[in-house]
Amino acid sequence: MTRPGQTETRAALPGGAPAGPAAGAAFARVRNWLSLRWAALALLLVGIFVYYPIFDNFRVSTTDEDIYTGELSYVGLGNYVRLMHDPVVWSALVNNVLYAVLSVVFQVFGAFVLAALIEGLSNEGWRRFWRAVYFIPSAISVTVSGLLFYFIYQPKIGLLNAALAHLGLGGLIQPWLGGEHTAIYAIIAMSQWQGFGYSTLLFAIAIQKIPRELYDAAIIDGAGPLRRMWNVTLPLTREMTGLMIIVTITGAFQVFNEVMVMTAGGPNNSSQVLGTWLYQQGFIENNFGYGAAIAAVIFVVTLLTGLAQLWYTRRRRVEL
């Protein structure tokens, strides 16, 4: 009740909505409707730009389409049968698997060890310095890194062969990008140099989140540096390790720029990967349906790899 000359005041909900059961319910309905609208818009955009292209790619992979004239004929699973009998596809798949294995060794486990060593330094200034040193290559674009290493690998004027000659290892001098047995390894080496620091920085961030009390307790129990790394750091960074394995393997099966810049798949298709062979067949040879079939293989491999790693990581999760 209000006295004469006074006005009744009511508390307002956030956003200026008046208080009261009916008004509060109406405000909640409006807020929920707005939330659903934005969620629906996000789902619509994801569906248009992500899921629709995936399903449409599978449709295109069952056709033989000329991208220049628009002529289209359905071949069913013919492109997949052709893919199974294509020796370059199998060679490219082996290169992708090799790329993935070496990337996991260096960019996951190697980066984890380096991050643990950096974060184990007692001086914060030195920790910042080494993080910056190893991250600098990751700030360089892949194309620039590829061109840089293209000149490093030059057989006559390249830095690598010159260094080998000065070290008395002239027997190892060879055309690194021109040899069928060395080209893919030279490309992988460049890729590891370029991405190693980024992985190290992510592991350093994960290690920084581990409570210091756990390390202090391990030291009191007499655990040395290696044992602390194995029993404390590794289990508590398992989720980051799982994420990095997924990202590294999927990236290895989607690699394209490094190969195109340095060798374009040569010599004699020895450094082809699935991405470059897809480009060669779909856009150079005008076998668009066949290229879509190769893209479908890349999608299935990366999807299964990601699902398997997520399942394993969730089973082995460690709670702080």
Side-chain angles (χ1 to χ4, degrees), residues 243-305:
L243 174 63
M244 289 305 302
I245 290 176
I246 294 173
V247 171
T248 302
I249 294 179
T250 54
F253 279 92
Q254 296 172 359
V255 64
F256 178 80
N257 289 342
E258 296 92 325
V259 179
M260 286 301 297
V261 169
M262 300 180 72
T263 64
N268 196 25
N269 291 324
S270 62
S271 63
Q272 290 281 7
V273 291
L274 291 176
T276 55
W277 192 236
L278 181 160
Y279 174 79
Q280 176 72 26
Q281 292 298 310
F283 298 98
I284 304 300
E285 303 294 335
N286 197 17
N287 297 322
F288 202 64
Y290 187 54
I294 299 174
V297 171
I298 297 174
F299 170 75
V300 171
V301 171
T302 54
L303 176 64
L304 293 178
T305 301

Side-chain angles (χ1 to χ4, degrees), residues 107-258:
Q107 294 191 34
V108 179
F109 298 110
F112 165 78
V113 173
L114 179 60
L117 292 175
I118 292 175
E119 295 305 313
L121 297 175
S122 57
N123 189 289
E124 175 63 23
W126 280 112
R127 291 200 295 268
R128 292 179 179 177
F129 171 77
W130 288 114
R131 290 183 206 132
V133 167
Y134 284 103
F135 182 74
I136 287 174
S138 301
I140 305 173
S141 71
V142 175
T143 303
V144 173
S145 298
L147 291 174
L148 173 64
F149 274 78
Y150 177 82
F151 290 105
I152 290 176
Y153 289 137
Q154 284 293 311
K156 296 186 179 297
I157 62 173
L159 181 62
L160 178 57
N161 282 345
L164 292 174
H166 281 84
L167 293 174
L169 301 174
L172 299 178
I173 293 177
Q174 56 186 298
W176 298 96
L177 296 177
E180 294 185 14
H181 301 291
T182 58
I184 188 62
Y185 292 99
I187 297 171
I188 293 174
M190 183 280 297
S191 181
Q192 305 315 303
W193 174 85
Q194 204 268 340
F196 187 74
Y198 183 75
S199 302
T200 301
L201 185 63
L202 291 179
F203 274 113
I205 295 172
I207 293 172
Q208 291 170 11
K209 295 181 179 180
I210 300 175
R212 183 63 195 176
E213 293 80 5
L214 298 178
Y215 290 105
D216 295 337
I219 293 174
I220 294 174
D221 291 338
L226 291 178
R227 190 171 179 183
R228 293 198 300 270
M229 182 188 299
W230 182 261
N231 292 333
V232 179
T233 308
L234 183 60
L236 295 179
T237 56
R238 183 171 286 124
E239 290 191 32
M240 177 60 73
T241 303
L243 174 63
M244 289 305 302
I245 290 176
I246 294 173
V247 171
T248 302
I249 294 179
T250 54
F253 279 92
Q254 296 172 359
V255 64
F256 178 80
N257 289 342
E258 296 92 325

Side-chain angles (χ1 to χ4, degrees), residues 33-83:
W33 181 82
L34 291 175
S35 300
L36 290 174
R37 185 183 67 175
W38 288 111
L41 178 60
L43 289 175
L44 178 63
L45 294 176
V46 170
I48 293 174
F49 294 105
V50 177
Y51 293 107
Y52 172 73
I54 291 174
F55 288 107
D56 191 59
N57 179 81
F58 282 100
R59 179 193 65 80
V60 174
S61 68
T62 62
T63 66
D64 183 12
E65 181 179 0
D66 191 319
I67 61 175
Y68 301 110
T69 64
E71 296 180 1
L72 178 69
S73 61
Y74 288 93
V75 296
L77 298 178
N79 287 322
Y80 293 95
V81 174
R82 175 185 173 185
L83 185 148

